[in-house]
Amino acid sequence: MTIRRRLVYAFLSILFLFGLNLAIYFVASARLSGAVEALQRAKDRQLLIANVGEDINDIHKQVTLTGNVFSATVIAGGEAESDEGAPSEAEKLEQSRFRGQLQELDSKLAAIIRISNVDAQGPVRNLSESCAQLAASWLIVHENFGSNSDSVTRAITELSVTAEPLSQYVRETLLPELEEFERSQAQIATQNYTSVSSVTKALTVGIFLASLLVAVVVAFHVSRYLTRGLSELEAGAAALGSGQLEMRLKLANKDELGDLAKSFNDMADKLLAAHNQLTEANVELDRGKKEVEKQQEMAMSLLLNILPVQVAEELQTSGQVEPKYFEDVTILFTDFRGFTLATEKLAAEELVYMLHEHFSAFDEIVKRYGIEKIKTIGDSYMCAGGIPDRKPSHPVDVVLAALEMARAVEEHNRKDAPAKWEVRIGVHTGSVIAGVVGTRKFAFDIWGDTVNYASRMESSSEPMKVNISERTYIRVKDFIECEARGKVLTKEKKELDMFFAKGIVPNLLNGNGENPPPAFKRRYRVYFQQDPPPLSEFLLKHD
């Protein structure tokens, strides 16, 4: 049963009781017909005014509830959902029903005007005109909700600016004044009627009380029915507004409340679906972001395998690397004696494998000492300290790394290897120019006489020994025990002072098993203002 039908039945019940009251009036006395007619008109006006008030309150609640639902939807979802195109059949039916309510309200006002006394024509017409303005404003609000974001905004504005103030004026001012006026008219008619017949008065009071009791019972049942449904809708709207998108109304009513609950649930389903899609999109976006970050990390890792960290960052930032001058750099060269002969005796796979093992060991050593690997050329390995981070300890670090490299080759020869190689190592300290060359395959390289001198130190060295220049010797002699070689003739027929690095100075090795020894660490800190790296065990033993 629809709400309208419930209200009609309630109205008819009350009207029936008042009709019975009129019949008793006519039966009781023909003389009372005039008084009864006047009283009946007064009661009818009161009833119509009461019904008009109820209709206005019902429509006001409906419009306010619709506004709250769509306002909560806008707050929860960001904007109202709308379907482009013509309204659906349900929307047309709802609009038609709403217009019918407004027409019924207008009809009741017209009926009040028709049965009103001359004195009451002014207040009734004032109420009718205000209700007509209010109905037009309500119609704007009702037809604009649920269309699109602009229409919803317009509806909310109309509701707050025009409809709500005018509704409050009608309900709190015009209706009470008219009710008070009609109440006075009814009292006059009642007094007139009472003076005619006390018996009729008693009978009328009895019928009126019965009618009132029935009206209260009917109003209670209708009110409880509507209150339950509206409370359910209000609770659902509040839950949806707080983000509980799984909230669904359980109203099985086959009336307007049931239709509204169904529309509410459909809207909640759409909001939940949109929320789930947004969540999935965010998850996919995060996954894509992580994949991009992973690819960036891989690219950066590959780039760092080619270039120093500072150079790689400069290349990523500006797209190019400016050449730089380094005043103080220590360069190390290695070369395997008899490598050319080994290439003739070993299979290519074994040759590459042995080079890989040796160079991998060299890579680990230079990484531990913070030395930058420059490149490998055949069996030659080139690295440099003090570039690009300009560490002041680079001469000592490079010579220690060179001693470890020689030791690594010696230990490898003890294994069951297809060939025994001996390494020559040369070290020199000086200035260089550094930069990146190439556009497709980047290569970080250094140039200058220091590179050539370091190469001569290597070619002038002896197998399994570390040959250092005089300039490097001056920088490391307080840490490294060296053997002077005197003037050595290079390939260019130049005589240069050279030294063999043998190991750490003995008086720096006393440390009760600590690594690095305290004396070595103390001197290292005084000279370079930093802690030394951990040393290999063989460096801690003095031969």
Side-chain angles (χ1 to χ4, degrees), residues 384-396:
I387 183 172
D389 53 10
R390 306 177 191 270
K391 290 170 55 178
S393 62
H394 60 83
V396 175

Side-chain angles (χ1 to χ4, degrees), residues 182-195:
E182 290 298 335
R183 191 177 297 111
S184 65
Q185 294 296 314
Q187 289 176 353
I188 294 174
T190 302
Q191 291 174 0
N192 182 46
Y193 172 77
T194 302
S195 64

Side-chain angles (χ1 to χ4, degrees), residues 194-216:
T194 302
S195 64
V196 174
S197 175
S198 59
V199 175
T200 304
K201 176 182 178 181
L203 185 59
T204 300
V205 170
I207 296 300
F208 176 76
L209 291 177
S211 300
L212 183 61
L213 178 62
V214 172
V216 169

Side-chain angles (χ1 to χ4, degrees), residues 53 56-57 59-61 63-64 127 130-131 133-135 137-138 158-177:
I56 291 174
N57 286 330
I59 297 174
H60 171 76
K61 291 178 180 179
V63 172
T64 303
L127 175 64
S130 298
C131 287
Q133 296 176 5
L134 182 58
S137 181
W138 276 342
E158 181 68 19
L159 178 64
S160 61
V161 174
T162 303
E164 188 65 30
L166 188 56
S167 174
Q168 183 178 1
Y169 173 70
V170 169
R171 291 183 294 109
E172 297 181 4
T173 302
L174 295 183
L175 276 174
E177 290 178 356

Side-chain angles (χ1 to χ4, degrees), residues 440-478:
R440 296 186 61 188
K441 293 184 178 180
F442 298 109
F444 179 73
D445 209 346
I446 56 179
W447 301 271
D449 290 339
T450 302
V451 178
N452 298 329
Y453 273 101
S455 178
R456 296 299 169 261
M457 293 300 109
E458 176 270 315
S459 62
S460 301
S461 183
E462 295 181 4
M464 307 305 292
K465 291 190 176 182
V466 178
N467 189 37
I468 65 176
S469 67
E470 181 181 14
R471 181 176 293 183
T472 303
Y473 166 76
I474 294 173
R475 300 286 293 277
V476 304
K477 62 182 178 63
D478 292 341

Side-chain angles (χ1 to χ4, degrees), residues 2-12 55 58 222:
T2 64
I3 295 176
R4 178 187 293 181
R5 184 170 295 178
R6 290 176 184 272
L7 294 176
V8 169
Y9 285 166
F11 175 76
L12 291 177
D55 290 346
D58 289 342
V222 173

